[in-house]
């Protein structure tokens, strides 16, 4: 179902999932119509029904990675983003939750039909690996944000990131 342009923003919960070694889990995705156009991104997705952002974050994480042994922490960042994907424009209000797990075995799980056509894998990244990455990563300042998170801990209130319009 496509939403007419200008309708409400899609409410999205994303997860900054850290393992005991402070590595971050990212998914690898691509444009279904152009598999050469790839990027890395955080687990998460849109809210369903009347679920809270916290519930959506945990559900999406379980569906996408199989990881259920999670301690969900505070909201780190909020941002508005808009991007073309799979033949339509997505306008999203994203909240990024900090979460920790000791369950480092992850595998693509119960993906939606669209995810099955656009997600190729996942991996854990150290901050140094992420900073050195030449690949596209969303949000685009993730390496810097991640480094600050590790150095300073979570912000006292969610940081509003600059809108990202692609």
């Amino acid at each position: 179902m496509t939403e007419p342009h200008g309708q409400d923003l899609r409410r999205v919960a994303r997860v900054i999932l850290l393992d005991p070694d402070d590595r971050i889990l990212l998914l690898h995705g691509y444009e279904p119509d152009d598999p050469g156009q790839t990027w890395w991104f955080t687990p998460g997705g849109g809210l369903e029904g009347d679920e809270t952002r916290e519930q959506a974050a945990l559900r999406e994480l379980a569906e996408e990675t199989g990881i259920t042994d999670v301690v969900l922490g505070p909201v780190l960042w909020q941002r508005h983003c808009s991007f073309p994907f799979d033949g339509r424009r997505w306008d999203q209000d994203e909240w990024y939750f900090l979460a920790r797990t000791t369950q480092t075995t992850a595998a693509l799980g119960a993906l939606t039909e669209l995810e099955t056509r656009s997600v190729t894998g996942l991996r854990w990244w150290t901050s140094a690996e992420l900073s050195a990455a030449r690949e596209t990563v969303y949000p685009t300042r993730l390496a810097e944000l991640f480094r600050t998170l590790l150095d300073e801990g979570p912000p006292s209130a969610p940081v509003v990131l600059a809108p990202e319009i692609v």
Side-chain angles (χ1 to χ4, degrees):
M1 185 177 108
T2 58
E3 295 180 1
H5 190 70
Q7 200 165 354
D8 290 344
L9 291 175
R10 180 174 182 244
R11 297 189 310 146
V12 170
R14 298 208 162 278
V15 181
I16 303 300
L17 183 66
L18 305 185
D19 75 357
D21 297 321
D22 280 341
R23 296 181 305 168
I24 185 173
L25 186 68
L26 297 178
L27 301 176
H28 192 234
Y30 63 94
E31 173 62 52
D33 298 330
D34 181 8
Q37 188 180 342
T38 68
W39 55 85
W40 291 91
F41 64 102
T42 58
L47 276 62
E48 294 180 356
D50 59 358
E51 71 183 350
T52 65
R53 298 234 191 201
E54 291 82 359
Q55 289 166 334
L58 293 172
R59 176 185 50 77
E60 286 282 344
L61 188 64
E63 289 174 0
E64 293 176 348
T65 70
I67 294 177
T68 54
D69 179 16
V70 173
V71 177
L72 195 64
V75 176
L76 298 171
W77 316 309
Q78 296 173 346
R79 76 164 185 164
H80 168 240
C81 65
S82 178
F83 55 91
F85 177 69
D86 194 41
R88 59 167 279 211
R89 177 154 288 277
W90 299 72
D91 292 302
Q92 301 191 159
D93 171 33
E94 298 185 334
W95 289 18
Y96 289 79
F97 288 88
L98 175 62
R100 289 200 169 265
T101 186
T102 56
Q103 183 183 339
T104 55
T105 302
L108 294 177
L111 301 180
T112 65
E113 185 269 338
L114 177 56
E115 288 166 341
T116 301
R117 292 190 292 122
S118 63
V119 178
T120 58
L122 42 74
R123 69 167 270 214
W124 294 97
W125 296 70
T126 65
S127 177
E129 288 168 339
L130 193 56
S131 294
R134 297 183 181 276
E135 297 155 280
T136 301
V137 177
Y138 292 112
T140 50
R141 290 178 51 223
L142 184 59
E144 171 193 339
L145 293 164
F146 182 36
R147 179 78 257 153
T148 300
L149 172 64
L150 294 180
D151 289 346
E152 302 175 7
S156 55
V159 173
V160 177
L161 306 179
E164 193 161 332
I165 313 296
V166 180

